[in-house]
Amino acid sequence: MFELTRCSRVAALALGAWLACAATLAQAADDRPRDAVALGRYLVQTAGCNDCHSPGYAQASGKTPEATWLTGDSLGWQGPWGTTYATNLRLFFAGLTEKQWLTHARKMESRPPMPWFSVRAMTDGDLKAIYRYVKAAGPAGQAAPAYVPPGQAVTGPVVLMP
């Protein structure tokens, strides 16, 4: 009869844990939509894009009409960099090709609070899916207010950041 030593039992347990983790990750990947537009919608909803780029989304716990998703916001984010506003991505994407979007996403360095580093970390497949979702949604809404440099007055509400 084969007898496991303490070391080989630990190795067997570690291998079992690794296999269980790999199976969980594979299942999670299988749970993602396969259609590019549906995957883009899923990413926009779960990656936090709507939190700033969709008016009222965070305040309503995500229960806003999809027609308003990614239409920008007039809520300003104010800090040492000045005051920034979440871009209307529906209008922004209307003027971009997929290739231009990928180039932009890989090179962008936006002012706070935009987590541009998170966009850069996405795979090309995820970025393409987001592009296809936004393009399928089509242009909508108005342009967000323009950036305001530090020390200049703004109209409308702002979130003060350190």
Side-chain angles (χ1 to χ4, degrees):
M1 169 86 51
F2 179 71
E3 186 175 316
L4 293 175
T5 65
R6 183 181 189 293
C7 187
S8 58
R9 281 191 299 249
V10 170
L13 287 172
L15 177 60
W18 181 84
L19 289 172
C21 182
T24 300
L25 289 174
Q27 168 129 19
D30 285 345
D31 289 345
R32 288 173 36 129
R34 297 200 188 283
D35 172 74
V37 172
L39 176 59
R41 181 186 187 282
Y42 167 80
L43 291 167
V44 161
Q45 192 171 27
T46 60
C49 305
N50 281 324
D51 294 352
C52 295
H53 292 277
S54 301
Y57 187 86
Q59 299 91 321
S61 301
K63 293 176 176 44
T64 58
E66 191 169 350
T68 66
W69 286 14
L70 308 180
T71 57
D73 202 345
S74 60
L75 176 64
W77 298 87
Q78 193 171 71
W81 62 86
T83 305
T84 52
Y85 298 88
T87 302
N88 179 330
L89 297 176
R90 306 266 294 271
L91 297 178
F92 178 73
F93 276 67
L96 293 180
T97 66
E98 187 174 83
K99 184 177 179 181
Q100 289 170 324
W101 161 239
L102 291 174
T103 300
H104 174 77
R106 294 288 174 231
K107 293 182 178 180
M108 73 185 300
E109 286 191 24
S110 303
R111 291 179 186 93
M114 176 63 196
W116 55 266
F117 42 87
S118 296
V119 175
R120 280 190 175 185
M122 290 180 164
T123 67
D124 281 355
D126 285 350
L127 291 170
K128 288 177 181 180
I130 289 170
Y131 176 84
R132 291 176 187 168
Y133 170 72
V134 177
K135 290 296 270 195
Q142 304 297 316
Y147 163 73
V148 179
Q152 293 189 14
V154 297
T155 58
V158 299
V159 174
L160 296 176
M161 300 188 64

